[in-house]
């Protein structure tokens, strides 16, 4: 069977791996090597259990609390979400995570670094204690981050660790989240040697240890396993799905498993009668009166308000009209005119080279009309440097149609606005597929479509445009 990709979120442990000052560094020595008299290679390691990615046991920050062997594994297993709070500063505050508040799973990992540190950095980001409280209040049982600790390096009171103890939360520290998708599962497997967390750190729990040891490069004793999902697992999950009954509202042919809703949605059972009423009564009988009596005139705004609930916009902010390309042309034209009126010296429009081609054609044309330069970045890593004093408008697609990469809308919008620019988001490959919160991200403009993951029919309005109140 096809097995989904495993994401190793643990850094490779080497003798020069970054550690807290005074901590025991990683060291490996070979106690036996293959020779005619010895049938195996055998190594021994010394290190603190907090080198590399690790799970803190309560014993680490409270005398008499549970050691890692006594900590139940269930908090570490299951659905997980990675939330981006890149460059959030010294503390991860509630406002850095609020854009992802909807439907948080029990496990939340926070990505603070564009790239995980390979050297000791005492200025790393940590959790504000009130953020731990906020996550716990929303049902989160495990938190993690890609820095050395949930408390600042200078902290002597370890306030966030103490909140973990009081709230009975689990924690993972020093992860590598550079390329990890924002939704994943954390799984584990049992081995004869004992319990191993397949988080990864693929860590073995050790009696009376104050943490769980990290898997180590070149060591000879680390195993990696996963449990395959069976058909029976899938059937059980389907039976337990709270949305399962909604399938009965659609006219799906018998025996058909339909996975192409992003090109053409399945016909709702109520649609045929509604279309017939429009044709025979509203059009055939009422004729031109239907613009008022059937409220045709209000349909773009009425449909827009329904879409607004799916993309985190307020009533009156979304209109269903025209095509995606036309709406992008209108929105980008408006943004350029606003930018030129406010800051005529700004001459750059920035987007990604891998953006949808039609978006780039429109941007290129408008740049020629308005005397701007279209600058295309080749990777997400190049984006921060492009947010400079010359930037007028940033135009991005939230989910890249080629790679599936999802931008952190709130973080990118905040960074671009801090640089004095306006931001346009294309939601064609995110609306209906992933949570979108335009208001929470304080987005300036957005366009999208109903024929992708909103599963529209053949007569669907192809696009929606949104302008944030400015």
């Amino acid at each position: 069977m096809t097995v989904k990709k495993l994401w190793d979120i643990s850094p490779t442990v080497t003798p020069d791996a970054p550690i807290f000052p005074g901590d025991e560094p990683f060291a490996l020595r070979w106690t036996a090597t293959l020779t005619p008299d010895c049938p195996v290679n055998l190594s021994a390691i010394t290190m603190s259990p907090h080198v590399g990615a690790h799970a803190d046991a309560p014993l680490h920050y409270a005398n008499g609390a549970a050691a890692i062997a006594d900590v139940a594994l269930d908090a570490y297993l299951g659905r997980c979400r990675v939330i981006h709070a890149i460059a959030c500063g010294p503390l991860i505050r509630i406002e850095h995570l609020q854009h992802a508040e909807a439907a948080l799973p029990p496990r939340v990992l926070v990505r603070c670094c564009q790239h995980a540190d390979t050297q000791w950095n005492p200025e790393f980001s940590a959790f504000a204690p009130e953020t731990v409280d906020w996550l716990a209040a929303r049902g989160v049982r495990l938190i993690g981050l890609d820095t050395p600790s949930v408390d600042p390096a200078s902290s002597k009171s370890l306030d966030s660790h103490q909140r973990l103890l009081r709230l009975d939360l689990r924690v993972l520290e020093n992860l590598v989240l550079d390329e990890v998708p924002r939704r994943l599962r954390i799984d584990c497997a049992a081995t004869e040697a004992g319990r191993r967390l397949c988080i990864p750190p693929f860590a073995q729990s050790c009696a009376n240890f104050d943490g769980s040891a990290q898997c180590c490069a070149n060591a000879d004793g680390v195993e990696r396993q996963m449990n395959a999902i069976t058909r029976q697992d899938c059937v059980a999950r389907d039976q337990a799905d709270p949305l399962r009954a909604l399938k009965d509202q659609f006219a799906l042919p018998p025996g058909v498993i339909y996975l192409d809703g992003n090109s053409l949605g399945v016909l709702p059972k109520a649609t045929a009668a509604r279309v017939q009423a429009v044709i025979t009564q509203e059009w055939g009988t009422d004729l031109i009166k239907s613009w008022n009596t059937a409220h045709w005139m209000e349909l773009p705004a009425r449909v827009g308000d329904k879409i607004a609930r799916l993309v985190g916009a307020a009533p009156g902010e979304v209109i269903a009209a025209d095509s995606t390309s036309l709406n992008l042309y209108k929105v980008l034209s408006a943004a350029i005119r606003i930018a030129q009126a406010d800051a005529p010296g700004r001459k750059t429009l920035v987007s990604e080279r891998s953006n949808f081609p039609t978006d780039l054609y429109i941007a290129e044309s408008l740049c020629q009309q308005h005397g701007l330069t279209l600058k295309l970045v080749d990777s997400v890593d190049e984006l921060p440097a492009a947010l400079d004093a010359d930037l007028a408008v940033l135009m991005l697609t939230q989910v890249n149609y080629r790679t599936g990469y999802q931008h952190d809308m709130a973080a990118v919008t905040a960074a671009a606005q801090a640089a004095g620019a306006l931001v346009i988001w294309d939601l064609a490959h995110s609306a209906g597929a992933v949570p979108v919160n335009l208001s929470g991200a304080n987005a300036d403009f957005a366009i999208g479509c109903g024929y992708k993951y909103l599963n529209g029919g053949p007569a669907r309005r192809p696009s929606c445009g949104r302008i944030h109140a400015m």
Side-chain angles (χ1 to χ4, degrees), residues 284-369:
T285 301
D286 296 342
L287 295 170
I288 197 172
K289 292 184 296 182
S290 288
W291 285 105
N292 295 313
T293 59
H295 306 288
W296 288 356
M297 192 75 73
E298 302 160 14
L299 270 173
R302 198 160 71 242
V303 173
D305 284 347
K306 292 178 180 292
I307 296 173
R309 301 200 300 266
L310 304 176
V311 295
E317 289 188 332
V318 175
I319 293 292
D322 297 325
S323 70
T324 307
S325 296
L326 279 176
N327 279 345
L328 178 60
Y329 183 87
K330 291 185 290 186
V331 165
L332 184 54
S333 296
I336 290 174
R337 290 183 180 277
I338 292 171
Q340 288 184 325
D342 290 347
R346 294 176 177 265
K347 297 294 183 182
T348 302
L349 190 156
V350 170
S351 190
E352 293 178 287
R353 197 175 304 278
S354 61
N355 204 347
F356 202 76
T358 310
D359 289 16
L360 296 181
Y361 299 154
I362 293 169
E364 184 177 18
S365 175
L366 283 170
C367 282
Q368 292 174 356
Q369 292 178 37

Side-chain angles (χ1 to χ4, degrees), residues 393-466:
V393 178
L394 175 64
M395 182 189 75
L396 295 173
T397 297
Q398 186 184 13
V399 173
N400 189 293
Y401 81 105
R402 297 186 187 184
T403 67
Y405 179 84
Q406 181 178 342
H407 286 285
D408 187 328
M409 181 187 288
V412 173
T413 299
Q417 291 173 345
L422 293 171
V423 186
I424 296 174
W425 289 100
D426 185 337
L427 309 180
H429 296 88
S430 54
V434 298
V436 179
N437 189 352
L438 293 173
S439 295
N442 196 34
D444 297 311
F445 300 88
I447 59 100
C449 60
Y451 50 80
K452 283 291 183 183
Y453 296 102
L454 294 182
N455 292 270
R460 70 272 187 188
R461 276 294 186 184
S463 183
C464 56
R466 179 214 190 238

Side-chain angles (χ1 to χ4, degrees), residues 28 68 70 98 101 135 167 289 301 304 312 371 382 387 409 467:
L28 179 145
I68 198 65
D70 302 318
Q98 280 180 315
E101 180 177 2
L135 288 167
L167 297 166
K289 292 184 296 182
E382 297 177 11
L387 307 182
M409 181 187 288
I467 302 177

Side-chain angles (χ1 to χ4, degrees), residues 16 30 36 139 159 234 254 297 324 335 339 376 381 461:
D16 57 354
W30 294 97
D159 294 335
C234 296
M297 192 75 73
T324 307
L376 302 178
D381 296 339
R461 276 294 186 184

